[in-house]
Amino acid sequence: VVSLTIKTALPNLEITDWDAIGLAQGGFAALGQTTQLYVNVENSGLVDARDVEVVVIKPVEDAPDIIVGTLTQDVPMGETTTFTIDIDPVDDIGSISYKLQINSTADQLENDPDDEIFKINYQPEVSTEANSWLGVIVAIIIAGIIGLFWKFSGRRSQAF
């Protein structure tokens, strides 16, 4: 009698990196605008992972969590796939913690992928109008000072 162990090849998924477009240093984003999130999912398994869904969840106290973004793609074996997910606009100033979660709707997985938690600080968008007018005002002041020097430079009397 020969004992034979058969193991099924399954995808092995992991979130390796994430980043958001438009975030300033320190993780700040503008209020009222959609934030684009880039999530890299690596498949180190021996088979392709089909219908892999990356979900962005906003945890809420004393209520069900809210899904604010999701995308489904295939992740080929031995490769990393980038998911580009739009996060719904936020209208309140402050920090929000989000959770990234991998769901595989088509296949079983070799592992149970870890959730990633990240924080985005939402602030009002910086006005650019004041910056444009600042240059004009400075130019007028400098022109005024040059004009005053030119006007009063011809009225000096010489000692000799």
Side-chain angles (χ1 to χ4, degrees), residues 18-87:
W18 70 269
D19 195 13
I21 191 169
L23 284 188
Q25 195 170 19
F28 288 97
L31 287 177
Q33 295 184 2
T34 300
T35 303
Q36 251 188 353
L37 187 67
Y38 297 95
V39 181
N40 291 330
V41 176
E42 180 183 16
N43 180 4
S44 58
L46 300 174
V47 294
D48 294 346
R50 297 189 179 275
D51 298 330
V52 175
E53 179 183 43
V54 175
V55 182
V56 183
I57 299 170
K58 177 182 169 185
V60 179
E61 290 184 30
D62 302 329
D65 293 344
I66 299 171
I67 295 175
V68 294
T70 182
L71 183 65
T72 302
Q73 294 184 160
D74 294 340
V75 182
M77 69 175 183
E79 292 187 21
T80 299
T81 301
T82 301
F83 289 71
T84 304
I85 304 168
D86 291 334
I87 298 177

Side-chain angles (χ1 to χ4, degrees), residues 3-153:
S3 174
L4 184 61
T5 304
I6 299 175
K7 186 175 180 182
T8 306
L10 296 171
N12 186 0
L13 301 176
E14 177 185 2
I15 296 173
T16 56
D17 192 23
W18 70 269
D19 195 13
I21 191 169
L23 284 188
Q25 195 170 19
F28 288 97
L31 287 177
Q33 295 184 2
T34 300
T35 303
Q36 251 188 353
L37 187 67
Y38 297 95
V39 181
N40 291 330
V41 176
E42 180 183 16
N43 180 4
S44 58
L46 300 174
V47 294
D48 294 346
R50 297 189 179 275
D51 298 330
V52 175
E53 179 183 43
V54 175
V55 182
V56 183
I57 299 170
K58 177 182 169 185
V60 179
E61 290 184 30
D62 302 329
D65 293 344
I66 299 171
I67 295 175
V68 294
T70 182
L71 183 65
T72 302
Q73 294 184 160
D74 294 340
V75 182
M77 69 175 183
E79 292 187 21
T80 299
T81 301
T82 301
F83 289 71
T84 304
I85 304 168
D86 291 334
I87 298 177
D88 297 334
V90 172
D91 295 322
D92 297 325
I93 294 175
S95 297
I96 297 179
S97 292
Y98 294 102
K99 179 170 56 172
L100 291 173
Q101 192 174 57
I102 295 176
N103 296 327
S104 180
T105 56
D107 298 322
Q108 292 181 337
L109 299 176
E110 183 177 314
N111 63 330
D112 187 18
D114 292 333
D115 296 342
E116 293 287 327
I117 296 175
F118 66 97
K119 184 185 291 187
I120 296 179
N121 301 310
Y122 290 95
Q123 299 293 328
E125 189 174 2
V126 177
S127 174
T128 56
E129 287 183 28
N131 295 339
S132 300
W133 281 104
L134 184 61
V136 173
I137 292 170
V138 169
I140 290 171
I141 291 171
I142 291 173
I145 291 171
I146 291 172
L148 287 174
F149 280 122
W150 187 21
K151 182 177 180 180
F152 292 113
S153 67

